[in-house]
Amino acid sequence: MTNTTPAASTTGTDVPTVLINARRELDTMALRVPSAPMAVAATLRSLEALALRVVTTTPPLADSIEGEKQAEFRALVGRIEDRVGSKPRADLAYEHLLVLLRQTQELLRWLEQTHGIEPRRIQAASANRRRAAQHAAQPARESRSAPVLQTIGPSAPLTALGGPVTLRQLTAKPSSARVQDCLRRGKDHYRVDSELTERLLAVAPFLQDAVAINDAFAIRAVALLAGRLGITQFIDLGCGLPTSPTLYETAAAALPRGSRIAVAYVDRDPIVMAHAATLLTAPRPHRTAHVRADLAQPHSILTDPDLLGALDLSRPVAVLAHNILHELPDHLAYPAISALTGRLAPGSALSITHPTAALHPGPMNEVGDLYTESISPVALRGPREVGRFFDGWHLLAPGLAETAHWHGVPSPGCPSGASASFAAIALKP
């Protein structure tokens, strides 16, 4: 293993050796992610220690990188340090482990490339040693082949969402949250997500602007609901990967000092909820709930102990369904919103953004086909169909409109014609 590029050195540290040893440890952890809660906790402690050792090699490298790459590199290091310093809930420990594992792998690849280290050779050597050890320990006629990844995480919380999952299953195909991250030019996605994003942009080049417009509306909606209407409780359906500013930060900026804010972040994606548990937790005395649930099963959301512990449903609540309802067919989408909003107090609010094929029929229908082929079927509803979600509610001006045409919504640099969604906010009488 040779260092083919000049490596910035850290005092008293042989950086290539640190990275080679870290690669071996990380590959071992990735191959055998445990399932028992105590084993998850032990592996997480080991991974946190390993991640910090890798982080200690980064300062000289960060100083040598210029421009946007340096900002990306420092942001990745910062996310790892934040995750290591956080204390996840017991039922989210395995998702926390998965995200930290992926982040550390990404950082390690960056460092290996800089120091001229070829991880495949390390992996091959480790695999050869394992095979040799197994061969020596077993009778010649016996052959055992362990799965590349064992089932991970506590099975009980995942049963309602389709059963236990593995890291390979979670990342074998794109996810809508990670594709959104790609369209935002984020870093929390995998190759399968970026490949689908490239195909989407090939048929609909305006999608990145459309996502920026949708994000701008989400900020405007929360600021309006908090600042003008005084709502301090929010349920964020399909919250997705964290963006800045967060829902809590936007509400806090709009509300009077001293207001107590409560937010329930809801998503069915385990990786999304791991990010939410770490990065979307408001400081006390504000309250935060992280609810892993499927919007198609609204009862599981409304009866979640964390949500009920954070929110007072006898007071007004704002339900945010931004860029999520298209993932449900009619027979699930309309009953889900009806069930959720039916439990809310008068004065509550419903904010929706919904992608549509009505504004860009050709490209958006192709986008819908790609999503259906790669992730799951989608319903790109028209204005009348989106309006049905607000039946019996009082729409705020300007009513149901293109997302970019809402007051103060267009994101800087994004043409309003790039909007690909309808949006509206309504109040419960």
Side-chain angles (χ1 to χ4, degrees), residues 167-405:
L167 178 60
R168 174 174 289 179
Q169 290 170 331
L170 286 172
T171 59
K173 70 174 189 176
S175 83
S176 56
R178 298 196 306 266
V179 168
Q180 290 289 304
D181 181 72
C182 282
L183 290 170
R184 294 185 180 109
R185 301 176 177 87
K187 296 291 290 183
D188 295 315
H189 53 264
Y190 295 81
R191 179 176 295 178
V192 289
D193 307 302
S194 58
E195 289 174 349
L196 176 57
T197 301
E198 290 176 4
R199 296 174 67 193
L200 293 170
L201 291 172
V203 300
F206 54 83
L207 278 184
Q208 287 179 318
D209 287 339
V211 168
I213 291 169
N214 196 74
D215 289 346
F217 173 85
I219 294 170
R220 172 65 174 153
V222 172
L224 183 150
L225 292 168
R228 185 194 298 182
L229 303 178
I231 293 177
T232 60
Q233 302 188 111
F234 300 85
I235 299 176
D236 191 2
L237 301 174
C239 62
L241 291 163
T243 57
S244 180
T246 66
L247 192 163
Y248 158 74
E249 291 168 341
T250 302
L255 286 163
R257 184 182 296 273
S259 300
R260 294 197 174 188
I261 301 167
V263 182
Y265 295 101
V266 181
D267 208 294
R268 64 167 293 155
D269 187 325
I271 293 179
V272 166
M273 293 314 297
H275 280 272
T278 300
L279 301 175
L280 298 178
T281 299
R284 294 181 180 180
H286 309 289
R287 300 184 301 276
T288 309
H290 304 103
V291 183
R292 191 170 62 199
D294 192 334
L295 179 56
Q297 300 173 349
H299 179 74
S300 67
I301 298 173
L302 293 172
T303 58
D304 183 86
D306 283 350
L307 183 144
L308 295 176
L311 274 63
D312 179 359
L313 297 183
S314 67
R315 297 173 48 239
V317 176
V319 173
L320 313 179
H322 296 157
N323 202 40
I324 182 64
L325 292 173
H326 63 288
E327 297 183 6
L328 295 180
D330 288 355
H331 73 279
L332 293 176
Y334 294 113
I337 291 299
S338 178
L340 285 168
T341 57
R343 289 279 304 276
L344 301 183
S348 293
L350 174 63
S351 177
I352 291 176
T353 63
H354 197 300
T356 182
L359 302 176
H360 305 278
M364 286 303 293
N365 279 321
E366 290 190 64
V367 166
D369 291 342
L370 286 172
Y371 261 87
T372 299
E373 169 193 325
S374 304
I375 301 177
S376 62
V378 294
L380 301 176
R381 298 181 174 93
R384 182 174 299 179
E385 296 166 301
V386 176
R388 281 183 55 193
F389 289 110
F390 298 99
D391 284 351
W393 289 55
H394 297 319
L395 287 170
L396 300 182
L400 183 68
E402 293 181 32
T403 310
H405 292 171

Side-chain angles (χ1 to χ4, degrees), residues 401-427:
E402 293 181 32
T403 310
H405 292 171
W406 251 81
H407 309 304
V409 162
S411 181
C414 294
S416 61
S419 180
S421 299
F422 289 113
I425 300 175
L427 298 182

